[in-house]
Amino acid sequence: EAVAAQLRPLVAPPVNTCCMERREGPGYDFNGPLLETLLPDQPPNARVLVVLLFLQEGKHAGPGGDIAGMVAEARAARADLTIGVTGVLAGHPGLAQIL
């Protein structure tokens, strides 16, 4: 949510946050909606950019990861959506400064 708050004044709305996994219970209320439910729930003809805030490719991010599968499913179900996906943070020139 902190990254989304910084992006909101810089980009066209809306900026949504989501998560890959969610556990039940009030201790996990900080997690946003799941990506797999957020993607197909977009308005008609929406343009979506999935920003991968992961340090490296793995189970969720990168080729063959969960996110790639969810994006493929959303594209198949909603041909009206335009969905882009960023790369992971590894190798980004500003990463060392951020860390």
Side-chain angles (χ1 to χ4, degrees):
E1 191 61 38
V3 173
Q6 292 178 9
L7 284 174
R8 284 186 179 107
L10 304 174
V11 299
V15 174
N16 297 310
T17 62
C18 62
C19 61
M20 292 299 305
E21 299 173 352
R22 182 160 174 80
R23 293 184 180 179
E24 296 297 323
Y28 298 98
D29 284 346
F30 60 88
N31 285 344
L34 293 170
L35 178 63
E36 65 186 344
T37 59
L38 187 65
L39 279 176
D41 195 34
Q42 296 303 302
N45 302 308
R47 293 174 53 198
V48 178
L49 180 61
V50 178
V51 180
L52 301 179
L53 295 180
F54 293 85
L55 287 176
Q56 62 187 20
E57 294 177 352
K59 174 185 174 186
H60 297 307
D66 296 347
I67 294 172
M70 290 175 200
V71 168
E73 288 178 18
R75 285 178 175 151
R78 294 280 310 275
D80 64 305
L81 296 180
T82 302
I83 304 173
V85 181
T86 69
V88 296
L89 296 174
H92 188 281
L95 183 59
Q97 182 179 0
I98 292 169
L99 296 176

XYZ file of all heavy atoms in Angstrom:
718
model
N 0.819 -1.188 0.000
C 0.000 0.000 0.000
C 0.870 1.263 0.000
O 0.479 2.262 -0.571
C -0.936 -0.032 1.211
C -1.997 1.019 1.178
C -2.954 0.946 -0.011
O -3.325 -0.168 -0.421
O -3.299 2.010 -0.534
N 2.031 1.222 0.615
C 2.900 2.401 0.659
C 3.379 2.791 -0.734
O 3.425 3.980 -1.070
C 4.095 2.144 1.578
N 3.715 1.812 -1.554
C 4.150 2.104 -2.920
C 2.989 2.673 -3.720
O 3.149 3.643 -4.466
C 4.722 0.835 -3.596
C 5.017 1.082 -5.061
C 5.973 0.373 -2.862
N 1.808 2.105 -3.575
C 0.624 2.610 -4.284
C 0.337 4.052 -3.898
O -0.019 4.875 -4.747
C -0.575 1.725 -4.004
N 0.485 4.374 -2.635
C 0.240 5.747 -2.175
C 1.198 6.729 -2.839
O 0.820 7.855 -3.158
C 0.359 5.814 -0.657
N 2.429 6.320 -3.061
C 3.400 7.182 -3.733
C 3.112 7.301 -5.221
O 3.388 8.328 -5.833
C 4.813 6.667 -3.504
C 5.266 6.803 -2.066
C 6.660 6.244 -1.841
O 7.369 5.894 -2.768
N 7.049 6.147 -0.586
N 2.556 6.252 -5.822
C 2.254 6.270 -7.256
C 0.993 7.050 -7.595
O 0.904 7.637 -8.669
C 2.101 4.841 -7.773
C 3.371 4.056 -7.977
C 3.046 2.615 -8.345
C 4.233 4.693 -9.051
N 0.028 7.049 -6.726
C -1.278 7.650 -7.040
C -1.184 9.083 -7.555
O -1.862 9.415 -8.526
C -2.205 7.545 -5.838
C -2.749 6.145 -5.670
C -3.795 6.023 -4.558
N -4.260 4.648 -4.507
C -3.930 3.789 -3.538
N -3.196 4.180 -2.520
N -4.364 2.548 -3.585
N -0.360 9.953 -6.986
C -0.303 11.317 -7.525
C 0.430 11.407 -8.870
O 0.346 12.418 -9.555
C 0.466 12.117 -6.465
C 0.720 11.210 -5.329
C 0.382 9.830 -5.735
N 1.148 10.360 -9.251
C 1.995 10.406 -10.441
C 1.381 9.782 -11.686
O 1.828 10.056 -12.796
C 3.326 9.701 -10.153
C 4.127 10.225 -8.961
C 5.337 9.349 -8.714
C 4.529 11.678 -9.195
N 0.392 8.921 -11.508
C -0.181 8.196 -12.648
C -1.692 8.356 -12.673
O -2.306 8.745 -11.684
C 0.188 6.694 -12.614
C 1.687 6.500 -12.675
C -0.370 6.005 -11.389
N -2.263 8.020 -13.827
C -3.716 8.107 -13.963
C -4.374 7.091 -13.037
O -3.904 5.967 -12.905
C -4.107 7.839 -15.408
N -5.458 7.483 -12.395
C -6.130 6.557 -11.486
C -6.826 5.447 -12.262
O -7.087 5.598 -13.440
C -7.141 7.444 -10.765
C -7.334 8.632 -11.625
C -6.100 8.777 -12.465
N -7.193 4.388 -11.629
C -6.898 4.068 -10.235
C -5.601 3.284 -10.101
O -5.137 2.660 -11.050
C -8.081 3.193 -9.835
C -8.423 2.455 -11.091
C -8.147 3.436 -12.214
N -5.021 3.321 -8.918
C -3.883 2.473 -8.562
C -4.395 1.532 -7.482
O -4.807 1.975 -6.419
C -2.687 3.297 -8.045
C -1.586 2.379 -7.543
C -2.172 4.237 -9.126
N -4.414 0.251 -7.790
C -4.916 -0.750 -6.847
C -3.769 -1.607 -6.339
O -2.791 -1.814 -7.051
C -5.946 -1.667 -7.520
C -7.162 -0.906 -7.962
O -7.743 -0.162 -7.195
N -7.540 -1.072 -9.212
N -3.917 -2.103 -5.152
C -2.958 -3.064 -4.616
C -3.632 -4.417 -4.518
O -4.855 -4.516 -4.435
C -2.452 -2.642 -3.223
O -3.556 -2.603 -2.327
C -1.772 -1.287 -3.276
N -2.815 -5.450 -4.551
C -3.357 -6.801 -4.407
C -2.246 -7.706 -3.891
O -1.099 -7.287 -3.744
C -3.927 -7.313 -5.719
S -2.710 -7.460 -7.025
N -2.600 -8.934 -3.641
C -1.628 -9.887 -3.128
C -1.774 -11.205 -3.874
O -2.723 -11.417 -4.622
C -1.796 -10.074 -1.623
S -3.403 -10.724 -1.132
N -0.833 -12.073 -3.657
C -0.830 -13.373 -4.313
C -1.490 -14.439 -3.451
O -2.066 -15.369 -3.963
C 0.603 -13.803 -4.622
C 1.259 -12.963 -5.674
S 0.383 -13.052 -7.229
C 0.346 -14.809 -7.508
N -1.354 -14.307 -2.167
C -1.891 -15.291 -1.239
C -2.580 -14.564 -0.106
O -2.197 -13.456 0.247
C -0.772 -16.168 -0.681
C -0.034 -16.958 -1.741
C 1.175 -17.696 -1.190
O 1.536 -17.472 -0.022
O 1.763 -18.479 -1.931
N -3.557 -15.194 0.453
C -4.277 -14.567 1.565
C -4.663 -15.642 2.561
O -5.155 -16.689 2.186
C -5.522 -13.860 1.060
C -6.275 -13.150 2.156
C -7.182 -12.084 1.578
N -8.010 -11.479 2.585
C -7.619 -10.529 3.419
N -6.403 -10.073 3.358
N -8.437 -10.028 4.310
N -4.438 -15.346 3.809
C -4.856 -16.247 4.882
C -6.071 -15.655 5.570
O -6.270 -14.447 5.583
C -3.731 -16.434 5.895
C -2.555 -17.166 5.310
C -1.513 -17.414 6.358
N -0.381 -18.120 5.763
C 0.687 -18.447 6.430
N 0.803 -18.137 7.709
N 1.666 -19.079 5.827
N -6.867 -16.517 6.144
C -8.069 -16.078 6.861
C -7.695 -15.500 8.222
O -6.684 -15.866 8.813
C -9.027 -17.258 7.053
C -9.575 -17.820 5.747
C -10.416 -16.829 4.986
O -11.166 -16.048 5.606
O -10.318 -16.816 3.741
N -8.514 -14.605 8.697
C -8.356 -14.075 10.040
C -7.975 -12.620 10.067
O -7.389 -12.084 9.126
N -8.291 -11.947 11.171
C -8.036 -10.511 11.292
C -6.554 -10.152 11.281
O -6.190 -9.036 10.936
C -8.688 -10.135 12.625
C -8.849 -11.419 13.364
C -8.964 -12.504 12.337
N -5.690 -11.082 11.612
C -4.254 -10.808 11.587
C -3.707 -10.612 10.186
O -2.586 -10.153 10.011
N -4.510 -10.941 9.177
C -4.067 -10.825 7.786
C -4.890 -9.810 7.007
O -4.877 -9.803 5.791
C -4.131 -12.199 7.108
C -3.214 -13.192 7.767
C -3.707 -14.092 8.708
C -1.855 -13.192 7.502
C -2.864 -14.982 9.348
C -1.006 -14.074 8.133
C -1.517 -14.967 9.052
O -0.673 -15.843 9.683
N -5.574 -8.929 7.700
C -6.407 -7.930 7.044
C -5.601 -6.910 6.249
O -6.170 -6.161 5.465
C -7.290 -7.200 8.062
C -8.466 -8.045 8.505
O -8.744 -9.068 7.846
O -9.097 -7.692 9.512
N -4.300 -6.870 6.436
C -3.477 -5.930 5.684
C -3.335 -6.349 4.223
O -2.995 -5.549 3.373
C -2.082 -5.789 6.318
C -1.313 -7.094 6.358
C -0.524 -7.483 5.297
C -1.396 -7.925 7.471
C 0.184 -8.677 5.332
C -0.704 -9.116 7.518
C 0.089 -9.500 6.450
N -3.576 -7.611 3.935
C -3.492 -8.080 2.556
C -4.677 -7.551 1.762
O -5.805 -7.570 2.219
C -3.507 -9.610 2.490
C -2.190 -10.213 2.903
O -1.180 -9.543 2.966
N -2.197 -11.498 3.176
N -4.394 -7.091 0.561
C -5.458 -6.610 -0.308
C -6.164 -7.761 -0.988
O -5.977 -8.923 -0.630
N -6.957 -7.447 -2.010
C -7.623 -8.514 -2.745
C -6.590 -9.360 -3.502
O -5.469 -8.921 -3.748
C -8.536 -7.761 -3.716
C -7.903 -6.427 -3.869
C -7.234 -6.128 -2.556
N -6.993 -10.534 -3.872
C -6.112 -11.417 -4.635
C -6.033 -10.954 -6.088
O -7.038 -10.531 -6.670
C -6.625 -12.849 -4.592
C -6.574 -13.538 -3.233
C -7.330 -14.860 -3.282
C -5.134 -13.760 -2.809
N -4.859 -11.058 -6.683
C -4.679 -10.684 -8.081
C -5.628 -11.475 -8.973
O -6.216 -10.925 -9.906
C -3.224 -10.919 -8.517
C -2.918 -10.616 -9.988
C -3.146 -9.149 -10.301
C -1.503 -11.030 -10.327
N -5.808 -12.756 -8.694
C -6.656 -13.593 -9.541
C -8.110 -13.144 -9.545
O -8.845 -13.420 -10.494
C -6.550 -15.056 -9.149
C -7.076 -15.380 -7.774
C -6.820 -16.835 -7.372
O -6.523 -17.664 -8.242
O -6.889 -17.111 -6.172
N -8.552 -12.422 -8.510
C -9.914 -11.884 -8.515
C -9.946 -10.432 -8.979
O -10.951 -9.980 -9.529
C -10.572 -12.001 -7.130
O -9.784 -11.298 -6.172
C -10.720 -13.433 -6.713
N -8.871 -9.708 -8.778
C -8.819 -8.300 -9.173
C -8.753 -8.141 -10.695
O -9.421 -7.276 -11.264
C -7.614 -7.620 -8.519
C -7.512 -6.110 -8.689
C -8.662 -5.409 -7.977
C -6.187 -5.611 -8.152
N -7.965 -8.964 -11.373
C -7.808 -8.830 -12.826
C -9.128 -8.952 -13.583
O -9.462 -8.055 -14.368
C -6.800 -9.842 -13.363
C -5.332 -9.478 -13.215
C -4.446 -10.619 -13.715
C -5.006 -8.202 -13.966
N -9.886 -10.020 -13.405
C -11.123 -10.127 -14.188
C -12.220 -9.165 -13.763
O -13.208 -8.994 -14.468
C -11.565 -11.582 -13.978
C -10.901 -12.031 -12.738
C -9.638 -11.226 -12.611
N -12.042 -8.486 -12.644
C -13.057 -7.570 -12.116
C -12.838 -6.128 -12.578
O -13.386 -5.199 -11.987
C -13.062 -7.666 -10.589
C -14.307 -7.029 -9.983
O -15.376 -7.098 -10.608
O -14.193 -6.442 -8.886
N -12.060 -5.923 -13.625
C -11.785 -4.577 -14.117
C -12.928 -4.077 -15.000
O -13.666 -4.853 -15.592
C -10.484 -4.573 -14.926
C -9.260 -4.928 -14.106
C -9.083 -4.001 -12.919
O -8.968 -2.792 -13.066
N -9.068 -4.579 -11.724
N -13.073 -2.745 -15.117
C -14.130 -2.203 -15.978
C -13.864 -2.541 -17.450
O -12.729 -2.881 -17.821
C -14.059 -0.698 -15.742
C -12.833 -0.437 -14.971
C -12.319 -1.720 -14.425
N -14.865 -2.445 -18.290
C -14.679 -2.748 -19.712
C -13.553 -1.918 -20.333
O -13.394 -0.734 -20.024
C -16.026 -2.379 -20.336
C -17.002 -2.473 -19.207
C -16.234 -2.078 -17.978
N -12.770 -2.559 -21.176
C -11.683 -1.920 -21.927
C -10.609 -1.296 -21.044
O -9.919 -0.367 -21.467
C -12.240 -0.878 -22.906
C -13.211 -1.494 -23.870
O -12.909 -2.494 -24.516
N -14.407 -0.939 -23.944
N -10.443 -1.803 -19.850
C -9.448 -1.254 -18.920
C -8.032 -1.577 -19.398
O -7.791 -2.577 -20.071
C -9.663 -1.818 -17.523
N -7.129 -0.691 -19.048
C -5.695 -0.913 -19.240
C -5.106 -1.174 -17.866
O -5.244 -0.351 -16.965
C -5.059 0.307 -19.890
C -5.552 0.523 -21.315
C -5.046 1.799 -21.919
N -3.598 1.867 -21.810
C -2.913 3.004 -21.938
N -3.534 4.137 -22.149
N -1.611 2.997 -21.841
N -4.439 -2.316 -17.721
C -3.926 -2.755 -16.430
C -2.423 -2.977 -16.547
O -1.954 -3.569 -17.518
C -4.605 -4.077 -15.991
C -4.036 -4.566 -14.681
C -6.110 -3.916 -15.922
N -1.687 -2.510 -15.568
C -0.255 -2.791 -15.487
C 0.000 -3.522 -14.180
O -0.240 -2.983 -13.102
C 0.574 -1.508 -15.542
C 2.090 -1.701 -15.458
C 2.600 -2.543 -16.629
C 2.798 -0.360 -15.411
N 0.456 -4.750 -14.284
C 0.794 -5.548 -13.111
C 2.266 -5.277 -12.809
O 3.143 -5.601 -13.612
C 0.551 -7.055 -13.363
C 0.949 -7.872 -12.144
C -0.903 -7.302 -13.732
N 2.527 -4.654 -11.680
C 3.885 -4.277 -11.288
C 4.420 -5.340 -10.336
O 3.867 -5.544 -9.255
C 3.901 -2.883 -10.628
C 5.315 -2.509 -10.215
C 3.322 -1.845 -11.590
N 5.490 -5.992 -10.756
C 6.049 -7.104 -9.981
C 7.033 -6.582 -8.944
O 8.208 -6.353 -9.237
C 6.741 -8.099 -10.916
C 5.857 -8.719 -11.991
C 6.676 -9.663 -12.864
C 4.676 -9.442 -11.373
N 6.566 -6.380 -7.726
C 7.441 -5.920 -6.644
C 8.074 -7.124 -5.945
O 7.885 -7.361 -4.755
C 6.663 -5.043 -5.666
C 6.152 -3.728 -6.234
C 5.400 -2.943 -5.171
C 7.297 -2.900 -6.798
N 8.825 -7.871 -6.718
C 9.561 -9.048 -6.255
C 11.032 -8.801 -6.559
O 11.368 -8.231 -7.601
C 9.114 -10.311 -7.004
C 7.702 -10.730 -6.713
C 6.636 -10.172 -7.406
C 7.437 -11.696 -5.753
C 5.342 -10.563 -7.150
C 6.138 -12.087 -5.484
C 5.088 -11.520 -6.187
N 11.927 -9.227 -5.677
C 13.350 -9.040 -5.931
C 13.848 -9.912 -7.071
O 14.710 -9.508 -7.834
C 14.171 -9.318 -4.667
C 14.067 -8.252 -3.585
C 14.842 -8.674 -2.346
C 14.572 -6.905 -4.099
N 13.314 -11.114 -7.185
C 13.760 -12.004 -8.258
C 12.605 -12.879 -8.716
O 11.578 -12.962 -8.066
C 14.922 -12.871 -7.795
C 14.588 -13.789 -6.636
C 15.816 -14.495 -6.108
O 16.928 -14.078 -6.324
N 15.604 -15.589 -5.403
N 12.815 -13.533 -9.855
C 11.807 -14.444 -10.366
C 11.711 -15.668 -9.462
O 12.680 -16.044 -8.820
C 12.160 -14.872 -11.787
C 12.111 -13.716 -12.765
C 12.537 -14.099 -14.161
O 13.029 -15.229 -14.371
O 12.377 -13.259 -15.064
N 10.541 -16.264 -9.427
C 10.338 -17.442 -8.593
C 8.951 -18.003 -8.781
O 8.384 -17.927 -9.869
N 8.389 -18.531 -7.723
C 7.078 -19.183 -7.765
C 5.992 -18.265 -8.323
O 5.146 -18.694 -9.093
C 6.698 -19.643 -6.351
C 5.302 -20.199 -6.247
C 4.935 -20.532 -4.803
C 3.480 -20.938 -4.717
N 3.033 -21.134 -3.352
N 6.006 -17.010 -7.924
C 4.962 -16.076 -8.349
C 5.351 -15.284 -9.588
O 4.556 -15.166 -10.518
C 4.627 -15.099 -7.221
C 4.072 -15.739 -6.004
N 2.992 -16.598 -6.027
C 4.437 -15.652 -4.707
C 2.720 -17.004 -4.811
N 3.581 -16.449 -3.983
N 6.534 -14.702 -9.598
C 6.928 -13.773 -10.650
C 7.858 -14.429 -11.667
O 8.646 -15.295 -11.321
C 7.631 -12.563 -10.032
N 7.747 -13.975 -12.902
C 8.619 -14.474 -13.959
C 7.930 -15.488 -14.847
O 6.781 -15.885 -14.597
N 8.608 -15.907 -15.894
C 8.023 -16.867 -16.838
C 7.608 -18.155 -16.130
O 8.352 -18.706 -15.328
C 9.160 -17.142 -17.815
C 10.092 -15.980 -17.672
C 9.963 -15.513 -16.253
N 6.406 -18.597 -16.390
C 5.914 -19.819 -15.780
C 5.428 -19.662 -14.350
O 4.990 -20.627 -13.738
N 5.498 -18.453 -13.811
C 5.051 -18.219 -12.438
C 3.539 -18.067 -12.350
O 2.837 -17.991 -13.358
N 3.052 -18.021 -11.126
C 1.616 -17.877 -10.883
C 1.027 -16.650 -11.579
O -0.074 -16.703 -12.120
C 1.333 -17.740 -9.386
C 1.697 -18.965 -8.579
O 1.953 -20.025 -9.184
O 1.733 -18.862 -7.342
N 1.758 -15.544 -11.531
C 1.237 -14.303 -12.107
C 1.064 -14.436 -13.614
O 0.040 -14.023 -14.168
C 2.142 -13.111 -11.750
C 2.072 -12.870 -10.242
C 1.735 -11.859 -12.519
C 3.062 -11.852 -9.717
N 2.033 -15.024 -14.291
C 1.919 -15.221 -15.737
C 0.675 -16.042 -16.069
O -0.044 -15.739 -17.031
C 3.173 -15.896 -16.279
N 0.395 -17.054 -15.271
C -0.799 -17.868 -15.483
C -2.074 -17.084 -15.263
O -3.039 -17.207 -16.034
N -2.103 -16.258 -14.218
C -3.295 -15.454 -13.929
C -3.540 -14.418 -15.022
O -4.683 -14.166 -15.409
C -3.151 -14.765 -12.577
C -3.216 -15.715 -11.421
S -2.903 -14.835 -9.874
C -2.436 -16.200 -8.834
N -2.459 -13.824 -15.513
C -2.589 -12.849 -16.592
C -3.104 -13.537 -17.859
O -3.991 -13.018 -18.545
C -1.246 -12.121 -16.840
C -1.282 -11.321 -18.125
C -0.915 -11.213 -15.656
N -2.570 -14.706 -18.168
C -3.030 -15.448 -19.347
C -4.514 -15.794 -19.233
O -5.269 -15.656 -20.203
C -2.187 -16.714 -19.531
N -4.947 -16.237 -18.055
C -6.363 -16.556 -17.843
C -7.242 -15.318 -18.002
O -8.308 -15.381 -18.619
C -6.571 -17.163 -16.464
C -6.056 -18.567 -16.319
C -6.227 -19.125 -14.908
O -7.045 -18.575 -14.133
O -5.529 -20.105 -14.579
N -6.799 -14.196 -17.440
C -7.579 -12.954 -17.545
C -7.654 -12.491 -18.990
O -8.715 -12.058 -19.456
C -6.972 -11.869 -16.657
N -6.555 -12.593 -19.729
C -6.573 -12.204 -21.143
C -7.515 -13.091 -21.946
O -8.218 -12.612 -22.838
C -5.167 -12.283 -21.722
C -4.266 -11.145 -21.277
C -2.876 -11.310 -21.836
N -2.041 -10.152 -21.517
C -0.727 -10.201 -21.371
N -0.082 -11.366 -21.507
N -0.041 -9.117 -21.083
N -7.528 -14.380 -21.645
C -8.407 -15.307 -22.359
C -9.877 -15.039 -22.045
O -10.739 -15.127 -22.920
C -8.044 -16.751 -22.014
N -10.162 -14.709 -20.796
C -11.541 -14.476 -20.373
C -12.049 -13.083 -20.739
O -13.242 -12.886 -20.920
C -11.662 -14.676 -18.861
N -11.128 -12.129 -20.833
C -11.506 -10.726 -21.053
C -10.662 -10.132 -22.161
O -9.690 -9.415 -21.918
C -11.305 -9.928 -19.767
C -12.179 -10.271 -18.581
C -13.558 -9.643 -18.693
N -13.536 -8.223 -19.003
C -13.401 -7.246 -18.107
N -13.302 -7.539 -16.832
N -13.395 -5.989 -18.502
N -11.032 -10.394 -23.406
C -10.273 -9.882 -24.550
C -10.267 -8.352 -24.606
O -9.421 -7.763 -25.279
C -10.832 -10.455 -25.848
N -11.193 -7.714 -23.906
C -11.256 -6.252 -23.906
C -10.181 -5.611 -23.037
O -9.909 -4.422 -23.164
C -12.636 -5.774 -23.446
C -12.934 -6.160 -22.004
O -12.854 -7.369 -21.685
O -13.241 -5.264 -21.197
N -9.562 -6.381 -22.154
C -8.535 -5.828 -21.262
C -7.189 -5.750 -21.969
O -6.833 -6.622 -22.755
C -8.368 -6.695 -20.018
C -9.548 -6.810 -19.065
C -9.179 -7.713 -17.894
C -9.990 -5.445 -18.580
N -6.437 -4.717 -21.666
C -5.047 -4.613 -22.080
C -4.220 -4.759 -20.806
O -4.320 -3.919 -19.910
C -4.759 -3.248 -22.742
O -5.619 -3.096 -23.860
C -3.313 -3.146 -23.171
N -3.453 -5.840 -20.718
C -2.706 -6.127 -19.496
C -1.222 -6.165 -19.808
O -0.766 -6.935 -20.648
C -3.124 -7.478 -18.878
C -4.637 -7.508 -18.621
C -2.359 -7.731 -17.578
C -5.158 -8.858 -18.174
N -0.459 -5.319 -19.125
C 0.995 -5.333 -19.206
C 1.564 -5.834 -17.890
O 0.903 -5.770 -16.847
N 2.780 -6.341 -17.939
C 3.445 -6.851 -16.747
C 4.878 -6.334 -16.746
O 5.586 -6.473 -17.743
C 3.440 -8.400 -16.715
C 4.104 -8.920 -15.449
C 2.022 -8.949 -16.835
N 5.307 -5.752 -15.640
C 6.683 -5.287 -15.531
C 7.613 -6.459 -15.225
O 7.154 -7.548 -14.894
C 6.850 -4.248 -14.406
O 6.678 -4.894 -13.142
C 5.891 -3.089 -14.561
N 8.897 -6.211 -15.282
C 9.871 -7.186 -14.814
C 10.005 -7.103 -13.302
O 9.459 -6.198 -12.655
N 10.728 -8.054 -12.732
C 11.003 -8.024 -11.295
C 12.036 -6.930 -11.008
O 12.642 -6.372 -11.918
C 11.489 -9.399 -10.785
C 10.407 -10.441 -10.944
C 12.764 -9.826 -11.493
N 12.259 -6.655 -9.749
C 13.165 -5.577 -9.354
C 14.646 -5.888 -9.614
O 15.444 -4.964 -9.804
C 12.969 -5.238 -7.881
C 11.596 -4.684 -7.510
C 11.491 -4.521 -6.000
C 11.323 -3.386 -8.220
N 15.009 -7.156 -9.610
C 16.415 -7.531 -9.816
C 16.921 -6.928 -11.117
O 16.276 -7.009 -12.151
C 16.570 -9.045 -9.848
N 18.070 -6.301 -11.047
C 18.676 -5.695 -12.222
C 18.222 -4.282 -12.508
O 18.771 -3.621 -13.397
N 17.237 -3.782 -11.785
C 16.803 -2.400 -12.004
C 17.908 -1.462 -11.528
O 18.465 -1.640 -10.434
C 15.509 -2.120 -11.239
C 14.930 -0.789 -11.569
N 15.397 0.376 -11.040
C 13.923 -0.452 -12.403
C 14.716 1.394 -11.519
N 13.801 0.918 -12.346
N 18.251 -0.458 -12.329
C 19.372 0.418 -11.952
C 19.178 1.192 -10.652
O 20.161 1.558 -10.010
C 19.498 1.395 -13.132
C 18.245 1.242 -13.922
C 17.665 -0.095 -13.614
N 17.949 1.396 -10.211
C 17.720 2.127 -8.972
C 17.606 1.250 -7.740
O 17.456 1.757 -6.630
N 17.706 -0.060 -7.908
C 17.502 -0.966 -6.788
C 18.502 -0.765 -5.658
O 18.132 -0.710 -4.492
C 17.534 -2.440 -7.255
C 17.262 -3.475 -6.182
C 15.905 -3.281 -5.551
C 17.387 -4.873 -6.764
N 19.763 -0.627 -5.982
C 20.786 -0.460 -4.937
C 20.533 0.806 -4.120
O 20.682 0.792 -2.899
C 22.180 -0.410 -5.562
N 20.123 1.862 -4.766
C 19.841 3.103 -4.051
C 18.639 2.941 -3.122
O 18.636 3.458 -2.013
C 19.588 4.241 -5.043
C 19.337 5.577 -4.365
C 19.108 6.680 -5.382
O 19.135 6.462 -6.583
N 18.875 7.867 -4.873
N 17.618 2.227 -3.582
C 16.423 2.011 -2.770
C 16.763 1.194 -1.534
O 16.317 1.490 -0.438
C 15.333 1.304 -3.578
C 14.801 2.233 -4.664
C 14.193 0.836 -2.685
C 13.909 1.552 -5.679
N 17.589 0.139 -1.729
C 17.941 -0.720 -0.611
C 18.896 -0.019 0.324
O 18.939 -0.222 1.487
C 18.553 -2.027 -1.120
C 17.598 -2.895 -1.957
C 18.340 -4.120 -2.486
C 16.409 -3.334 -1.112
